[in-house]
Amino acid sequence: DSSFGIQYSAPDGTHELVLAWNTGALRGLPLVPGRPDRLRLRGLDPAARYRDESTGAQYGGAHLLHAGLPLPWSAEYDADAIFLRRR
């Protein structure tokens, strides 16, 4: 897994900011088309739903904790900021 990130949590638990980057793309390693990297998040409510404010995608807290946030890297970019709002 070549994705890394920093997760910032709001003190009241209403949102998360995830800054993520792909070190494989930075090193010139080939990307696997159609298969996103995943970044496991921490400290979320497993029963809550979280919405990606830029794409509208929704995820369960348990999914983000165990399977991880999908990061579909491409040759055009290798870093992203994801703003998740708790629903």
Side-chain angles (χ1 to χ4, degrees):
D1 200 45
S2 58
S3 291
F4 293 89
I6 299 172
Q7 177 183 345
Y8 297 98
S9 301
D12 61 3
T14 58
H15 56 278
E16 307 287 321
L17 174 63
V18 180
L19 304 175
W21 61 95
N22 181 330
T23 60
L26 293 171
R27 290 191 307 252
L29 297 175
L31 298 166
V32 178
R35 193 179 86 198
D37 276 344
R38 294 191 170 270
L39 183 64
R40 287 185 185 174
L41 302 184
R42 296 178 181 218
L44 302 179
D45 178 354
R49 304 270 316 151
Y50 294 86
R51 181 178 187 274
D52 181 332
E53 291 296 302
S54 73
T55 67
Q58 294 196 31
Y59 306 99
H63 176 84
L64 294 171
L65 290 166
H66 299 290
L69 178 67
L71 300 167
W73 302 121
S74 71
E76 285 77 44
Y77 72 95
D78 54 19
D80 205 356
I82 303 103
F83 184 74
L84 299 172
R85 184 172 303 276
R86 184 177 172 170
R87 304 315 264 167

